[in-house]
Amino acid sequence: QVQLVESGGDLVQPGGSLRLSCAASGSFFSIDVMRWYRQAPGKQRELVAAITTGGTTNYADSVKGRFTISRDNAKKTVLLQMNRLKPEATAVYYCNTALRRTSLSPMADYWGQGTQVTVSS
């Protein structure tokens, strides 16, 4: 069974840094773009950053210049380095990807369970 497991969420002061990690486990044929989303209380889930297998990245305007997404294809992991954190970054952060279980399988969407990031003094 395929799972995405996030880690790294914590309580941090404004201006601080955190690094989130997401590891894909289980058996699958290929993994496509990997993304980080976040959902703050009372708000819709929003895309934070995405990275393709080739390393092309995309960021929400609100995090450009402060967050960096990266991936290790061999280790099936994606990281989100978050610097100069602001209180409005407080949210549950979710890892998301699309992958094929076998060479004949259609792409399927997978989500992690989420990790809490709280930015507060």
Side-chain angles (χ1 to χ4, degrees):
Q1 184 172 350
V2 177
Q3 283 188 313
L4 298 180
V5 180
E6 301 107 331
S7 61
D10 206 345
L11 170 63
V12 63
Q13 292 188 343
S17 297
L18 277 178
R19 188 176 75 166
L20 304 183
S21 177
C22 172
S25 65
S27 176
F28 50 88
F29 176 74
S30 65
I31 193 166
D32 196 50
V33 61
M34 301 187 82
R35 306 177 183 92
W36 285 98
Y37 283 81
R38 66 186 179 189
Q39 187 165 20
K43 294 189 176 182
Q44 288 191 333
R45 193 171 295 189
E46 64 171 350
L47 178 65
V48 176
I51 184 167
T52 68
T53 52
T56 300
T57 58
N58 185 41
Y59 297 94
D61 288 343
S62 59
V63 306
K64 281 181 181 176
R66 297 185 298 114
F67 289 15
T68 302
I69 189 170
S70 60
R71 66 189 285 171
D72 184 329
N73 290 328
K75 295 182 179 179
K76 306 170 191 176
T77 60
V78 61
L79 304 177
L80 185 67
Q81 178 66 42
M82 305 186 294
N83 298 327
R84 292 183 280 140
L85 281 161
K86 302 177 182 180
E88 49 263 42
T90 296
V92 178
Y93 284 70
Y94 296 91
C95 177
N96 163 261
T97 190
L99 58 83
R100 295 182 193 275
R101 295 292 302 274
T102 72
S103 61
L104 300 178
S105 302
M107 279 289 183
D109 219 30
Y110 286 84
W111 291 86
Q113 81 288 351
T115 186
Q116 177 70 47
V117 172
T118 303
V119 185
S120 175
S121 55

